[in-house]
C-alpha cells in the first residue's frame, strides 16, 4: 500500500512572519497522528525558520527549486547542500512555472534531478501538458517525453527517492481541475511507463501526486482514484484551514 503524500507549494508567497504563522497553524491543526505524509515547501527565505518550527512534528519540508552545480559563481542560485543545511528533505523540480517562465528544459531538469538524488534529497518531479497539447490529443506524448528525458540516467534504486507530480498546466491556478477520470488515466499511463523504463516493482512503489486546483472539496474524489497517491497543492495550501482540509481527505 502506498502512503498518501500531500505537499504544499507556497510558490512566491509568505514573508518570514507569515510563513511562521502558517506553519504553526498547520502543525497545531495536524496533531501527531497523521495517516499521510505532509510536506511544506516555503520560499527559500523562510526555510530555516520553518525548519525550527517543524522539528519533532510529522511535517516535513522541501524547497521549490535548486541548481545542479555544487557551488561557485552562479549568482542567485541555491545548491542541494544549501537546502540540506537548512533542513530540506525534499525539492520540487520541473514545475511548469519553472519550465514556462524560467525556460527550464527537460535537460536542465534532468541535471537538477541527478544532483538532488546524489545528495539524497527526495525529488518531487513535476510533469504535465498545456491545454493546447491536451486538445491536440498529445497529452501522453508530452508527459512521456518529460518523464523519459527528466529521468534519463536515474537508477532504479534512486527511483525510491522520486515522487512524480502530474500537473496539467491548464489546471494550475485556474480553478479548473482535471476530472478524477482524466487524472486517473494519465496517472495510470505514468505508472505503466515507469514499469517499462524501470520495473513493475519501481512502478508499484512510485508515489504519483496530482496537482492543479486541488481544494478541500475536490480532494477526496481525486485521492480515491487507484493511481493517485497524493496531491501537490498551490493556492489552497496558503491557508491552514484549506490545506488541513485536503490532508483530512487523504
Ligand atoms: P494550484 O497549484 O493548486 O494553485 O493549482 C498547483 C501547483 O502549481 O503545484
Amino acid at each position: 500500500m502506498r502512503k498518501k503524500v500531500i505537499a504544499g507549494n507556497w510558490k512566491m508567497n509568505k514573508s518570514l512572519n507569515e510563513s511562521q504563522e502558517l506553519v504553526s497553524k498547520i502543525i497545531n491543526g495536524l496533531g501527531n497522528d497523521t495517516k499521510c505524509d505532509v510536506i511544506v515547501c516555503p520560499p527559500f527565505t523562510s526555510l530555516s525558520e520553518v525548519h525550527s518550527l517543524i522539528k519533532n512534528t510529522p511535517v516535513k519540508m522541501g524547497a521549490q527549486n535548486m541548481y545542479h552545480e555544487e557551488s561557485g559563481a552562479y549568482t542567485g542560485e541555491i545548491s542541494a547542500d544549501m537546502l540540506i543545511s537548512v533542513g530540506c528533505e525534499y525539492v520540487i523540480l520541473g514545475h511548469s512555472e519553472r519550465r514556462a517562465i524560467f525556460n527550464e528544459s527537460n535537460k536542465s531538469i534532468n541535471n537538477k534531478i541527478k544532483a538532488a538524488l546524489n545528495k539524497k534529497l527526495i525529488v518531487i518531479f513535476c510533469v504535465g501538458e498545456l491545454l493546447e497539447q491536451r486538445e491536440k490529443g498529445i497529452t501522453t506524448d508530452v508527459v512521456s517525453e518529460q518523464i523519459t528525458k527528466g529521468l534519463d540516467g536515474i537508477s532504479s534504486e534512486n527511483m525510491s527517492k522520486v515522487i512524480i507530480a502530474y500537473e496539467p498546466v491548464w489546471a494550475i491556478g485556474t480553478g479548473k481541475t482535471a476530472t478524477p477520470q482524466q487524472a486517473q488515466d494519465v496517472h495510470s499511463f505514468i505508472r505503466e511507463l515507469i514499469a517499462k523504463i524501470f520495473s513493475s516493482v519501481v512502478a508499484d512503489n512510485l508515489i504519483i501526486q496530482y496537482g492543479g486546483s486541488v481544494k478541500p472539496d475536490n480532494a477526496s474524489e481525486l485521492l480515491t482514484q487507484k493511481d493517485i497517491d497524493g496531491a501537490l497543492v498551490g493556492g489552497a495550501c496558503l491557508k491552514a484551514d484549506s490545506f488541513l482540509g485536503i490532508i483530512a481527505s487523504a
Side-chain angles (χ1 to χ4, degrees), residues 213-230:
S213 297
V214 177
K215 297 186 188 67
D217 59 9
N218 61 23
S220 75
E221 52 174 15
L222 288 159
L223 290 167
T224 45
Q225 298 298 309
K226 181 169 157 281
D227 288 294
I228 303 188
D229 309 311

Side-chain angles (χ1 to χ4, degrees), residues 9 11 92 95-97 126 167 171-175 211-215 232-237:
N9 173 10
K11 307 194 180 184
I92 299 172
H95 191 279
S96 68
E97 286 149 19
C126 306
E167 301 202 298
I172 296 179
T174 56
S213 297
V214 177
K215 297 186 188 67
L232 180 56
V233 185
C237 79

Side-chain angles (χ1 to χ4, degrees), residues 44-184:
F44 291 131
T45 45
S46 298
L47 290 173
S48 184
E49 297 300 323
V50 165
H51 183 242
S52 32
L53 293 170
I54 61 169
K55 264 183 212 154
N56 306 318
T57 79
V59 179
K60 305 250 164 55
M61 188 176 75
Q64 300 171 21
N65 183 31
M66 57 166 255
Y67 194 52
H68 69 272
E69 292 288 351
E70 293 231 354
S71 62
Y74 304 103
T75 301
E77 294 297 324
I78 304 272
S79 72
D81 282 332
M82 292 170 183
L83 298 182
I84 292 163
S85 75
V86 292
C88 288
E89 291 175 67
Y90 296 78
V91 61
I92 299 172
L93 294 173
H95 191 279
S96 68
E97 286 149 19
R98 301 289 326 165
R99 293 176 190 262
I101 307 169
F102 302 99
N103 297 318
E104 289 194 12
S105 63
N106 288 322
K107 177 72 194 141
S108 67
I109 294 161
N110 176 246
N111 287 336
K112 291 180 180 203
I113 294 176
K114 284 182 185 154
L117 292 173
N118 247 334
K119 299 290 179 176
K120 313 255 180 283
L121 283 165
I122 301 173
V123 173
I124 301 178
F125 168 37
C126 306
V127 298
E129 81 287 2
L130 304 170
L131 181 58
E132 65 200 61
Q133 294 168 327
R134 174 161 285 266
E135 284 170 347
K136 270 195 212 149
I138 57 169
T139 295
T140 52
D141 299 329
V142 172
V143 168
S144 166
E145 185 178 8
Q146 289 170 334
I147 290 179
T148 313
K149 294 189 172 163
L151 297 180
D152 184 41
I154 305 300
S155 68
S156 293
E157 294 74 64
N158 267 337
M159 282 303 291
S160 63
K161 298 238 169 220
V162 174
I163 292 171
I164 294 184
Y166 168 59
E167 301 202 298
V169 179
W170 48 271
I172 296 179
T174 56
K176 273 190 226 156
T177 328
T179 64
Q181 192 57 50
Q182 281 175 324
Q184 166 57 28

Side-chain angles (χ1 to χ4, degrees), residues 25-30 236 239-249:
K25 284 188 185 159
I26 293 169
I27 293 165
N28 290 338
L30 266 186
K239 292 221 166 73
D241 286 352
S242 52
F243 191 53
L244 289 166
I246 294 167
I247 294 166
S249 321

